[in-house]
Amino acid sequence: MVPSESLFRKNAEIFGSGGLINRVLGKGSMTDVPELLVSRSGSLTMKVGHLTLHSLYDPEREGLSWARESVFQGKTEGSRGYLVAGLGLGHHVWALLSETSLPVYVLETDPRRIAFSWQCFEWHRYAGRLRFFCDVVDARNLPGGLMLLVHAPSEKLDPDAYGSLRVMIHDGRTSEVGLRFRVLVIPPVYGGSYPVAQAVARSLDRLGHRTTFLDMAPFEGALRAIGAQTSLDIHKMQLRGIFQGFLDELILARVIHEKPDLVIALAQAPVSPTLLSRLRKENIPVAYWFVEDFRLATYWESVAPLVTEFAVIQKEPFLSLLSDKKVNHATYLPLAADPAIFSPCSPPPDDRKRFGGPVTFMGAGYANRHHFLKNLVDFDLSIFGTEWNAGDPLYRYVREGGRRLSPQETALVFNSTTVNINLHSSVYHKGVNPDGDFVNPRTFEIASCGAFQVVDHRSLLPDLFDIGAELPVYRNESECRKLVGHYLEDDAGRAEMAARSRERVLKEHTYDIRMASWLETLKERGVRPAQPALTGRWPVDRLLSDAAGDDSLVRFLERFRGRGSVGLEEIARSVSAGQGKISPEAATFLLLSEMGKGAGG
Amino acid sequence: MRDCGLSGEPLRILVVALTRMGDLYETYPMVAALRERYPESRIYLVAYREFAPALGPLSLFAGVFPVDPKPFASLIRVREGPLEAYRAIRGWINELNALDADLLINLTPNRIGAILGYLIHAREKRGLHMTPDGYRAHYGNYVPYLGMLVKNRQYNNLNLSDLFLKIAGVRTPSSIPLGIPAFSRESVGQKMDQDGISGENPVISFATGASQELKRWPSRLFANCIRDLLTRRSEVHVILLGAGEGDCRRNRAIRQEVCAENPTFGHRVHDWTQRTGTDELFAILDRSSVLVSNDTGTMHAAALLSTPVVCLSFANLFYPETGPWGAGNIVIYSKAPCAPCAPDSRCADPVCREDLDPRLVSRVVEIRMSVPREAVGEAIRSLRQNLESETVGGRSGIALSEEDASGDFRYRPLGRDSMSGEEFFRRVYERIWKKELEGMDIRENIPWESVEFLPDVLRHAARLRQMAEKGEKLVRKVAACMNNDSASVPEHLLQDLEGLDRGIEEAAWVCPPLGPLSLFFRLEKESIDIWNPFDLLDLVGKTEKTYQDLKRRVSLFTRVAEESAACTAGRRVEPKIPPCTPDEMSGKLLVERV
């Protein structure tokens, strides 16, 4: 796919009539300028500011998934065509046209995006059943019976216009395909994958999904206290088992309350096989991201068969082992970074002094790190992180009292350090694990900060970064020392490599990219937003349509535009005391909600 | 409130009582009083559908609007959206509004009631409602009282029926009209004939069931009581009442146990479980000499008929508040330290039920039978005297309901319990609320055994008064700032007020007898019905009044308590009240328990 002027002209001839061509050729405002990027799959994608309008990973696959879902819904609804609000670059519309023979009308409020799209796609092939327009008012002239398909990322850029469009559509049962999920993210109570879970939740939220993060951190104290009560393992297991039963019920209660379309659990999340079985029985899809070493954390054997989708950070032999256990719903999904947290910055001198140094290691005090890092103490080493052995002489290099740093402080460490040492953990090696495969989050995070790192060899690293050009890699203490010594002096080399690795992360290794990709996989496995009647949530668009004719009710329900779907409790919660006069409509919903509680509804 | 509606039609009064069956019966004296006050009025009731059949004899209602939340909830579930349920509720509200009520009385003490009170239109509203911006609103002096007594039950002796009368703004009715159809009476008469109950036989009815297991006196104790009664009184017949499978099983077991020891009792114990509808139940109660009952709706039905009730009080029943209304009713209550327990208590070991001696119950029934049904004047004095003799020691106490000087019916514990600390404060508050909310000054002596803990209470009361005074001054400062256009209200003033309010709340924590005053103040403050930001000065004025009211009531509390203690002890009590420290003035009280 290459932008082409001749393609633009062909499309303009067919679709530019009625003044549209003038709009498309106009200069446009200086804000929200669309930007074309090359995706991982090689096709073009589009970004506006920080918002990606299509997948940076595989926009064609994303578009096809979207289109298939839309057509499925359209057939269910008996639609006579489609009105797509939001073109972006056009991957989803292109896929839609190949999935249906019905007419497609495309509203794109930013003519510049139409211009880019006309340069990239052979829209002219669909002349006769495809039409573009820029102004919401033109929707009035459209035929009835169309199904409205909203491109969620585009709506974020111009919510008012999309709201106006919805108001304008009166005809019959227009409905909107809800391709946004309601997701419940369950993190571990504590541990390394807790920040990963937080990043997942933030990412899903940015992608437009209704996300709830079920924070289990309040139970850390209790869980640790259990371990401190007895030295007998069997008693610890019994107590933890009882506590797990309690957490199971707590999570189940939350699932019943939230009615999610999808539960995403991270490694070490307190989701027992019992709970997973119950969720499975209730047809609640659970996607589990196992961000652990399968050789050490063997509980995957009991978890993987019970979930809808099992994502892993290792490939073979793990994938084969999973297949042997009839787990055919496994996906390789490497870790990533959240650029919203891990981004370049210039810390003030005090922070640099406090959190930085020439050579720094950030991470937990595993055995191999205790051994390995002693080799670097002559480089003015600093260590941050928890669980470092205070009785070990290396402890004198541990700063901030060995406390856990927040993700934001961790980013300060990376940005304040000249050479970041990245050594993957091992409980039984003395230094580098020669067979280490998966890549830890730190690799992506340091790169995302635009900071420099030296990293130990991992077999899966070359798939993710260009070794030597984007990341320097060592296999033992000696190689590490050489790299550290060299790059401490080579400012330019450090800067160039750090910049390249950052670019790679932004292009391919953010949580947004991972989550978008994973959700596409889930959709292919049949996971989709549940039918509202089963979840107690209803498409807002449908509610507004059903309320047509009752102006005051419509006015009340207008506040829920943009949410996709809404439940009764949410409607009731939107009515707050002390926020002005409560309308009879609002009070009636409050009453309905209260009666529903009493009646078990 | 005029007697005729705007169009000259009879006054239309709508009563919203989404409560349990017993509570519905407790609203009926209010309804009777409304009818007496407004003879041409038409009174309608909004109640839960499941209790509608129980309303048959309550003939003063011109109509009932039944509510059943379950269909609304299922409409939401089975349809693809809430709008059908929404329209159904709107339709129902429109039906209520089509009544075009002149007066709405909302006795439903929860959020559903508050919202309904907001949605239903009426020219005048009394009871609990919602302000236009969503806060609780109290329309009537006694409405905050309803909220206050929930957390301060032990200091309340105003019966719910009397409270409803006060909320509605009417006085005790002279009679309670009920519509028991003649054929129901005939039917009951025939049943009695068939069972060998003649017109001369006193009938003692027993309501052995209750909505919760916790509130049921054990079957064997009922059986012991009945056996004892039948042994002592050879002419008495007993009728066991109830409905439902549970009651059937229980009463069958009770009858069997009674007859096991003496089969001849069989022809004097009649199991009428599930043999009567509501109208016949009323007819039976009307014919009964006494009803012995757990905390049930049947008990309140009997009260409407002026049938004497011996109420068995344990678990979460608090008899001063929800005992059967009217004079001459008797409560036998458990003196377990944990009684009464919280309304939502799920006690696993209700030992309080065993505190009521079955022989005592049967003796009390016998005593009650010895005075006329309508116990007034000499009859009530005689009743009290005879019951006093039964109050010596034991794990249970006896209370008798009498009409007080103002026409309310109050339960007074007999024997030494009449001089307990809690009863003392109940009587103190009786006087306070009479004065504050009705303008009546009651001067009767409050019997009291000991003054030992009073100095502490008065010390805390003095601190509370000082806090109220400080609140008054702070609010005046706020008003001064608002009146001065160039000065904004300093943040510290508002923070000080907030801290002070916390101190007022905590005063009740450390000194529970001050609880009613503290909570009443907070409820009044919360329900200031001004939500328009342009009416701020008015809001400030009303806020200042709440502090003034609190100050005045605390002073009254202190005076009444001191005077009563002085009367009892024969000397004036001078409580030691040290000056408040700055922390105490700001509301940070030391934690001390009375």
Side-chain angles (χ1 to χ4, degrees):
Chain A
M1 175 192 281
V2 176
S4 154
E5 273 303 311
S6 62
L7 185 55
F8 177 86
R9 273 197 292 274
K10 264 191 192 165
N11 285 324
E13 270 172 32
I14 309 275
F15 300 111
S17 60
L20 181 60
I21 186 62
N22 296 330
R23 298 285 301 279
V24 172
L25 289 175
K27 280 229 166 60
S29 83
M30 296 305 291
T31 57
D32 292 340
V33 178
E35 189 188 341
L36 287 186
L37 304 169
V38 178
S39 71
R40 176 94 159 95
S41 65
S43 49
L44 288 174
T45 185
M46 183 180 273
K47 199 172 155 191
V48 177
H50 290 295
L51 188 67
T52 53
L53 297 186
H54 300 286
S55 169
L56 295 175
Y57 184 72
D58 190 341
E60 285 166 337
R61 189 170 161 218
E62 179 193 56
L64 183 59
S65 166
W66 183 97
R68 283 183 176 158
E69 179 67 42
S70 305
V71 170
F72 172 80
Q73 287 287 337
K75 282 179 183 161
T76 310
E77 303 286 338
S79 298
R80 285 181 276 164
Y82 299 96
L83 167 57
V84 180
L87 173 64
L89 188 59
H91 287 287
H92 54 299
V93 180
W94 183 258
L96 179 65
L97 285 162
S98 66
E99 292 290 317
T100 182
S101 57
L102 294 175
V104 175
Y105 301 84
V106 180
L107 166 68
E108 175 49 66
T109 54
D110 187 343
R112 294 170 297 184
R113 294 178 221 157
I114 298 179
F116 274 127
S117 181
W118 284 0
Q119 290 175 39
C120 298
F121 287 91
E122 295 176 329
W123 300 115
H124 58 86
R125 285 165 47 184
Y126 295 106
R129 68 179 182 99
L130 173 64
R131 196 188 129 193
F132 295 91
F133 58 104
C134 261
D135 293 314
V136 173
V137 292
D138 290 339
R140 280 205 192 104
N141 303 322
L142 297 178
L146 299 180
M147 176 169 218
L148 174 63
L149 306 175
V150 174
H151 185 233
S154 297
E155 183 176 10
K156 283 193 175 183
L157 292 170
D158 197 356
D160 289 342
Y162 285 67
S164 303
L165 178 68
R166 284 190 175 88
V167 170
M168 225 169 273
I169 293 171
H170 296 297
D171 187 0
R173 287 180 64 74
T174 30
S175 54
E176 183 176 330
V177 177
L179 288 176
R180 282 178 285 188
F181 287 95
R182 188 168 180 84
V183 185
L184 180 66
V185 177
I186 307 176
V189 176
Y190 60 88
S193 48
Y194 182 88
V196 176
Q198 289 179 308
V200 163
R202 286 194 300 268
S203 169
L204 290 167
D205 195 55
R206 280 193 297 264
L207 291 171
H209 302 285
R210 305 282 308 282
T211 311
T212 302
F213 182 75
L214 178 52
D215 195 355
M216 305 304 291
F219 300 101
E220 179 181 350
L223 208 49
R224 289 195 188 275
I226 286 172
Q229 297 314 309
T230 174
S231 57
L232 295 173
D233 282 346
I234 182 141
H235 284 160
K236 281 187 199 179
M237 269 175 56
Q238 280 173 339
L239 289 169
R240 286 191 179 127
I242 294 167
F243 192 63
Q244 179 60 60
F246 157 71
L247 291 178
D248 276 0
E249 291 301 324
L250 183 142
I251 292 170
L252 193 64
R254 195 63 186 268
V255 168
I256 290 168
H257 174 74
E258 296 282 345
K259 301 182 182 67
D261 302 312
L262 174 66
V263 172
I264 290 182
L266 274 289
Q268 301 283 354
V271 288
S272 67
T274 311
L275 174 63
L276 290 172
S277 299
R278 284 170 84 174
L279 293 175
R280 194 182 177 91
K281 207 171 153 190
E282 299 294 327
N283 290 322
I284 295 171
V286 177
Y288 196 99
W289 197 1
F290 184 73
V291 296
E292 303 233 68
D293 186 337
F294 78 94
R295 298 173 188 89
L296 298 178
T298 56
Y299 63 87
W300 60 267
E301 293 184 53
S302 52
V303 167
L306 294 172
V307 297
T308 312
E309 164 65 23
F310 193 70
V312 298
I313 57 174
Q314 294 162 296
K315 288 184 176 176
E316 295 301 339
F318 192 18
L319 291 173
S320 293
L321 285 174
L322 285 165
S323 181
D324 290 345
K325 290 194 179 294
K326 308 278 188 286
V327 177
N328 298 315
H329 46 272
T331 302
Y332 171 61
L333 190 70
L335 285 154
D338 182 355
I341 305 279
F342 294 98
S343 58
C345 68
S346 300
D350 286 347
D351 279 348
R352 289 196 79 87
K353 194 175 168 191
R354 182 178 171 193
F355 289 110
V359 177
T360 296
F361 176 82
M362 168 74 218
Y366 280 85
N368 68 323
R369 291 164 177 170
H370 272 89
H371 285 285
F372 187 93
L373 291 175
K374 281 179 177 141
N375 287 276
L376 301 172
V377 297
D378 57 334
F379 287 115
D380 196 3
L381 175 70
S382 298
I383 298 174
F384 294 90
T386 59
E387 292 165 81
W388 291 91
N389 184 357
D392 192 301
L394 187 66
Y395 195 77
R396 68 179 74 109
Y397 296 95
V398 174
R399 291 168 56 181
E400 293 289 312
R403 67 174 177 88
R404 182 177 301 147
L405 300 192
S406 67
Q408 289 77 7
E409 286 173 322
T410 304
L412 277 178
V413 169
F414 297 153
N415 276 291
S416 305
T417 296
T418 309
V419 175
N420 287 282
I421 306 293
N422 185 356
L423 172 66
H424 287 72
S425 64
S426 173
V427 295
Y428 48 83
H429 293 94
K430 283 202 176 156
V432 175
N433 177 355
D435 300 313
D437 49 11
F438 68 86
V439 176
N440 65 16
R442 189 172 304 103
T443 310
F444 304 98
E445 287 161 3
I446 296 171
S448 180
C449 286
F452 181 79
Q453 64 180 300
V454 295
V455 58
D456 56 324
H457 165 79
R458 307 291 285 184
S459 63
L460 292 174
L461 193 57
D463 290 342
L464 302 167
F465 288 92
D466 191 340
I467 307 303
E470 292 171 346
L471 283 182
V473 168
Y474 60 87
R475 288 176 186 266
N476 51 50
E477 289 89 326
S478 167
E479 286 184 13
C480 181
R481 282 186 63 85
K482 275 191 189 140
L483 287 171
V484 171
H486 170 79
Y487 281 104
L488 275 174
E489 305 303 324
D490 184 3
D491 294 350
R494 275 200 325 269
E496 281 168 20
M497 198 172 290
R500 284 194 290 267
S501 65
R502 170 168 159 79
E503 200 183 320
R504 186 70 182 264
V505 163
L506 295 182
K507 191 174 160 189
E508 298 182 22
H509 303 314
T510 65
Y511 279 106
D512 286 11
I513 291 171
R514 296 285 187 263
M515 288 303 107
S517 164
W518 201 19
L519 288 176
E520 284 165 32
T521 305
L522 282 164
K523 285 178 201 170
E524 281 172 15
R525 294 206 199 282
V527 176
R528 53 170 62 92
Q531 292 301 314
L534 298 175
T535 65
R537 303 181 58 77
W538 308 280
V540 174
D541 209 53
R542 183 173 296 170
L543 284 180
L544 284 163
S545 170
D546 284 352
D550 185 338
D551 292 343
S552 45
L553 179 57
V554 168
R555 264 197 304 277
F556 171 71
L557 293 172
E558 280 283 338
R559 66 183 65 188
F560 303 110
R561 274 197 199 284
R563 292 198 196 188
S565 63
V566 71
L568 182 58
E569 260 189 57
E570 209 172 326
I571 295 175
R573 270 202 302 268
S574 76
V575 184
S576 308
Q579 302 295 318
K581 186 171 179 179
I582 292 176
S583 67
E585 293 72 31
T588 306
F589 274 106
L590 278 181
L591 185 60
L592 193 50
S593 172
E594 290 294 321
M595 284 183 165
K597 283 178 198 166
Chain B
M1 173 62 59
R2 62 200 178 289
D3 284 329
C4 289
L6 272 178
S7 59
E9 289 177 5
L11 205 65
R12 289 176 297 276
I13 302 175
L14 185 62
V15 177
V16 177
L18 295 177
T19 53
R20 299 201 57 82
M21 187 177 77
D23 294 355
L24 281 178
Y25 288 152
E26 289 183 279
T27 66
Y28 200 64
M30 176 199 78
V31 176
L34 281 168
R35 175 55 71 82
E36 278 185 8
R37 174 69 180 83
Y38 309 110
E40 301 303 317
S41 62
R42 293 177 67 79
I43 305 172
Y44 301 86
L45 175 69
V46 178
Y48 283 125
R49 184 181 295 278
E50 63 179 299
F51 301 125
L55 298 172
L58 306 190
S59 54
L60 291 178
F61 286 118
V64 177
F65 292 91
V67 170
D68 189 350
K70 290 187 189 118
F72 296 126
S74 61
L75 267 179
I76 298 167
R77 279 197 295 274
V78 304
R79 302 291 182 196
E80 287 186 6
L83 294 192
E84 199 158 328
Y86 168 90
R87 289 187 180 110
I89 286 192
R90 291 294 308 168
W92 179 68
I93 299 283
N94 289 341
E95 210 180 302
L96 290 172
N97 282 331
L99 187 66
D100 193 25
D102 295 295
L103 173 62
L104 169 66
I105 301 175
N106 190 355
L107 303 175
T108 307
N110 57 32
R111 201 153 155 71
I112 289 179
I115 300 169
L116 272 178
Y118 177 67
L119 286 169
I120 300 173
H121 303 147
R123 285 177 193 78
E124 186 181 333
K125 294 185 181 181
R126 294 177 198 168
L128 180 67
H129 298 282
M130 188 173 82
T131 61
D133 62 342
Y135 291 106
R136 180 167 39 189
H138 301 133
Y139 292 179
N141 284 348
Y142 263 98
V143 184
Y145 190 96
L146 189 58
M148 178 277 297
L149 69 85
V150 171
K151 290 196 176 165
N152 295 280
R153 298 175 87 189
Q154 67 273 41
Y155 301 119
N156 168 57
N157 68 356
L158 182 62
N159 189 277
L160 220 51
S161 291
D162 284 323
L163 177 57
F164 292 152
L165 284 165
K166 293 175 196 307
I167 288 173
V170 288
R171 305 187 78 85
T172 307
S174 58
S175 66
I176 308 281
L178 290 164
I180 304 173
F183 62 80
S184 298
R185 291 188 191 275
E186 280 163 23
S187 167
V188 165
Q190 280 166 11
K191 283 190 176 92
M192 287 191 172
D193 287 342
Q194 281 163 12
D195 283 9
I197 305 173
S198 78
E200 281 80 44
N201 292 129
V203 170
I204 311 297
S205 294
F206 280 78
T208 64
S211 54
Q212 300 166 26
E213 172 61 34
L214 188 64
K215 294 163 75 164
R216 293 177 205 144
W217 203 34
S219 300
R220 63 178 166 70
L221 297 181
F222 267 120
N224 289 348
C225 168
I226 292 169
R227 201 166 36 241
D228 191 57
L229 187 59
L230 293 176
T231 304
R232 291 143 70 86
R233 297 293 293 260
S234 58
E235 78 286 19
V236 159
H237 281 248
V238 161
I239 295 180
L240 301 174
L241 300 169
E245 272 309 308
D247 286 352
C248 275
R249 280 194 298 271
R250 186 180 321 105
N251 285 340
R252 195 160 44 235
I254 289 172
R255 188 172 183 280
Q256 277 173 3
E257 197 171 330
V258 169
C259 300
E261 279 205 20
N262 189 338
T264 62
F265 287 161
H267 76 275
R268 289 200 285 145
V269 179
H270 312 279
D271 185 356
W272 283 23
T273 318
Q274 283 193 322
R275 286 180 63 186
T276 62
T278 306
D279 292 333
E280 286 175 326
L281 172 66
F282 271 71
I284 294 167
L285 293 173
D286 203 22
R287 167 69 174 82
S288 300
S289 301
V290 177
L291 169 72
V292 180
S293 177
N294 294 316
D295 177 22
T296 62
T298 305
M299 168 177 88
H300 296 298
L304 294 178
L305 291 158
S306 299
T307 298
V309 178
V310 173
C311 167
L312 308 174
S313 177
F314 43 81
N316 54 30
L317 171 61
F318 187 58
Y319 70 86
E321 179 184 303
T322 52
W325 184 74
N329 295 311
I330 302 163
V331 171
I332 306 173
Y333 56 90
S334 162
K335 291 209 272 193
C338 50
C341 47
D344 56 355
S345 168
R346 295 287 177 265
C347 175
D349 186 18
V351 294
C352 52
R353 302 189 298 189
E354 305 288 334
D355 288 344
L356 277 55
D357 183 347
R359 286 168 301 177
L360 172 66
V361 176
S362 81
R363 285 200 302 275
V364 165
V365 169
E366 212 180 352
I367 290 170
R368 187 59 183 90
M369 287 168 65
S370 69
V371 297
R373 205 178 158 90
E374 306 256 359
V376 292
E378 186 51 41
I380 209 85
R381 279 190 288 275
S382 166
L383 187 55
R384 192 189 317 125
Q385 217 168 348
N386 290 332
L387 288 172
E388 289 269 8
S389 64
E390 295 291 336
T391 62
V392 181
R395 301 196 313 251
S396 58
I398 301 175
L400 175 66
S401 63
E402 299 183 55
E403 189 173 357
D404 69 13
S406 65
D408 296 334
F409 296 106
R410 309 262 177 180
Y411 277 91
R412 307 291 189 205
L414 304 175
R416 289 181 75 90
D417 287 353
S418 65
M419 295 181 288
S420 70
E422 275 190 0
E423 177 64 13
F424 173 79
F425 286 113
R426 280 197 281 269
R427 301 287 287 264
V428 166
Y429 276 111
E430 192 181 317
R431 286 176 59 174
I432 289 173
W433 301 124
K434 278 282 180 200
K435 174 79 178 157
E436 282 287 308
L437 304 179
E438 296 179 62
M440 290 174 64
D441 230 330
I442 296 174
R443 290 283 175 178
E444 60 185 13
N445 286 338
I446 302 175
W448 195 31
E449 196 169 30
S450 164
V451 300
E452 280 170 14
F453 55 81
L454 187 59
D456 264 344
V457 173
L458 293 179
R459 182 163 54 90
H460 287 289
R463 288 197 181 114
L464 182 59
R465 191 186 181 287
Q466 282 165 344
M467 283 192 276
E469 198 165 306
K470 186 180 179 194
E472 207 183 341
K473 287 178 184 159
L474 282 173
V475 174
R476 277 197 206 124
K477 282 185 187 169
V478 169
C481 290
M482 289 168 70
N483 278 325
N484 181 353
D485 286 336
S486 62
S488 60
V489 178
E491 186 63 30
H492 75 83
L493 267 186
L494 301 173
Q495 285 172 353
D496 285 349
L497 263 177
E498 209 177 297
L500 197 68
D501 285 356
R502 266 201 306 276
I504 291 171
E505 183 182 12
E506 289 169 5
W509 298 354
V510 301
C511 182
L514 297 178
L517 294 173
S518 165
L519 184 52
F520 207 96
F521 157 78
R522 286 192 292 123
L523 289 171
E524 281 192 318
K525 200 167 176 226
E526 274 172 21
S527 69
I528 293 176
D529 186 8
I530 291 170
W531 57 280
N532 188 336
F534 292 106
D535 292 338
L536 270 180
L537 278 175
D538 201 5
L539 171 67
V540 170
K542 288 197 167 157
T543 305
E544 185 185 344
K545 185 177 177 304
T546 61
Y547 288 99
Q548 288 166 347
D549 288 346
L550 176 61
K551 187 174 80 173
R552 187 183 61 252
R553 288 169 189 155
V554 175
S555 301
L556 183 57
F557 174 92
T558 305
R559 181 167 60 78
V560 170
E562 280 178 342
E563 282 173 5
S564 302
C567 286
T568 301
R571 58 181 167 86
R572 181 148 184 82
V573 174
E574 296 291 346
K576 296 182 180 49
I577 307 169
C580 286
T581 65
D583 270 354
E584 287 166 344
M585 282 295 289
S586 69
K588 294 177 193 168
L589 294 177
L590 296 172
V591 177
E592 293 178 56
R593 295 232 164 249
V594 173

